[in-house]
Amino acid sequence: VYIQQKEVSMKPKDLPCICIRLRRSSQALTALYNQALEANGLTISQYQLMEKITKNPGCSTSQIANEVHLERSTLARNLSRLAAEGMIMDASLKGKRNSQWHLTQQGKDALEQAQEGWQRAQTRVYEEIGEEKMETFLEVMSQLQNIGEQEEVK
């Protein structure tokens, strides 16, 4: 039996838009993680911020922004929401510009409870991709992030 193999073009112009494919994947994964965290009243963005604060108590908004690669205004809005919900608090002195973010006990409890949901989502993605492809996947994601952080299109 002879099966003619179709030659696949790998020219950039012949590929689906890489950015749109990544955006769709990101939206799907965000929905998966948000669903896993929903019972704990958190989104994946809030979970990530709380994890960063846990690992670096007293960190400033600028320090968090540098680590999570969010615009300061977006980050400030998310931090304000978490503070209003009693999950985090700013321990800086009144009138000082530099925030010093800490998790409250309520935030620590919520984060601890949410870790099970996060782990379920993480495991699902890992198992779907498979151990063999995971290392390559993470390398490609790092490369794409580096490309996006370059100043210009060459």
Side-chain angles (χ1 to χ4, degrees), residues 70-89:
L70 283 177
E71 292 180 17
R72 278 184 56 83
S73 61
T74 302
L75 177 60
R77 188 172 50 253
N78 288 334
L79 291 171
S80 293
R81 205 172 289 144
L82 285 170
E85 293 172 4
M87 301 289 188
I88 62 173
M89 61 173 274

Side-chain angles (χ1 to χ4, degrees), residues 5-11 14-16:
Q5 290 190 341
K6 184 179 176 183
E7 192 173 313
V8 178
S9 172
M10 292 302 284
K11 295 177 184 174
D14 297 328
L15 295 172

Side-chain angles (χ1 to χ4, degrees), residues 85-97:
E85 293 172 4
M87 301 289 188
I88 62 173
M89 61 173 274
D90 181 359
S92 63
L93 299 173
K94 292 282 184 200
K96 295 290 182 183
R97 292 190 66 193

Side-chain angles (χ1 to χ4, degrees), residues 44-54 59 64-65 68 70 74-75 78-79 82 88 103:
I44 188 60
S45 296
Q46 292 169 327
Y47 181 87
Q48 177 194 27
L49 293 177
M50 292 171 69
E51 280 283 322
K52 294 293 180 194
I53 294 169
T54 297
C59 56
I64 297 170
V68 299
L70 283 177
T74 302
L75 177 60
N78 288 334
L79 291 171
L82 285 170
I88 62 173
L103 257 63

